[in-house]
Amino acid sequence: GQQLNQSPQSMFIQEGEDVSMNCTSSSIFNTWLWYKQDPGEGPVLLIALYKAGELTSNGRLTAQFGITRKDSFLNISASIPSDVGIYFCAGQLNTNAGKSTFGDGTTLTVKP
Amino acid sequence: DTAVSQTPKYLVTQMGNDKSIKCEQNLGHDTMYWYKQDSKKFLKIMFSYNNKELIINETVPNRFSPKSPDKAHLNLHINSLELGDSAVYFCASSLTGANGYTFGSGTRLTVV
């Protein structure tokens, strides 16, 4: 089946630093999504990407849909303590009834 | 006003018991999902219903039986619970044709 690998698995950064993480797949997707999960909560959608090469921002977050359609990137600028959490990428194909395949997550820790 | 609500939040039960988890969404979405998150935080789809009809059924033991009485509700019944069923179960919903889910806050199931 499809597998999504996220890197790095975990990051420890200082408040104010920029963060980059990525997600790669063994097969193509039509849609890429990025979620954030806080402890004890469900994932919350941050950004959705619909076209290869697309670059989309949401506040301090910027995500890109890779040209090959097999990868995506998420950047967070000027990190703050509340950015702490697990970031998941997810891929969707138009043909499989809205099913999302999730990556294995990047855990972000921000030191004040 | 919670968008996707799951009950209970925590469930501790003995091996061999039967238990149910309930999920309701008030977003007007037509598709609902159950995902399982294991101890390594990996999210794996179990089931998906669209307008009360089962459309995705991944390789889940048939001890797990979803039921959707209407498109706003998707419940999960589990028979003969096993230790390996311990995990966090997330309900989610979406609109057909739109991308990205709204997740509930999860049900932490512990089988002892």
Side-chain angles (χ1 to χ4, degrees), chain A residues 92-103:
Chain A
Q92 283 187 345
L93 283 173
N94 294 343
T95 52
N96 61 356
K99 171 184 166 184
S100 281
T101 300
F102 282 80

Side-chain angles (χ1 to χ4, degrees), chain A residues 24-80:
Chain A
T24 57
S25 170
S26 54
S27 51
I28 63 172
F29 287 105
N30 300 119
T31 300
W32 283 95
L33 305 147
W34 284 92
Y35 291 82
K36 180 188 178 221
Q37 185 177 22
D38 290 330
E41 297 296 328
V44 173
L45 182 65
L46 299 172
I47 291 181
L49 302 153
Y50 303 105
K51 274 169 45 173
E54 179 182 352
L55 189 71
T56 297
S57 291
N58 178 6
R60 293 179 295 106
L61 276 59
T62 302
Q64 183 157 29
F65 190 140
I67 291 289
T68 64
R69 294 166 66 197
K70 290 186 179 182
D71 56 9
S72 180
F73 307 88
L74 177 70
N75 295 318
I76 306 172
S77 61
S79 58
I80 59 178

Side-chain angles (χ1 to χ4, degrees), chain B residues 5-57:
Chain B
S5 59
Q6 297 179 227
T7 53
K9 176 88 172 163
Y10 300 95
L11 186 51
V12 181
T13 188
Q14 289 190 321
M15 271 173 48
N17 283 350
D18 303 339
K19 289 292 177 188
S20 292
I21 308 173
K22 295 187 175 182
C23 180
E24 176 182 3
Q25 55 94 4
N26 62 7
L27 298 166
H29 289 170
D30 54 8
T31 308
M32 296 184 72
Y33 311 83
W34 279 108
Y35 273 77
K36 180 180 180 181
Q37 187 172 46
D38 62 22
S39 57
K40 294 185 178 175
K41 306 299 183 187
F42 186 64
L43 280 157
K44 187 166 166 47
I45 192 166
M46 299 172 70
F47 301 104
S48 171
Y49 272 72
N50 178 270
N51 281 315
K52 304 193 297 175
E53 185 182 336
L54 179 67
I55 53 171
I56 294 175
N57 183 350

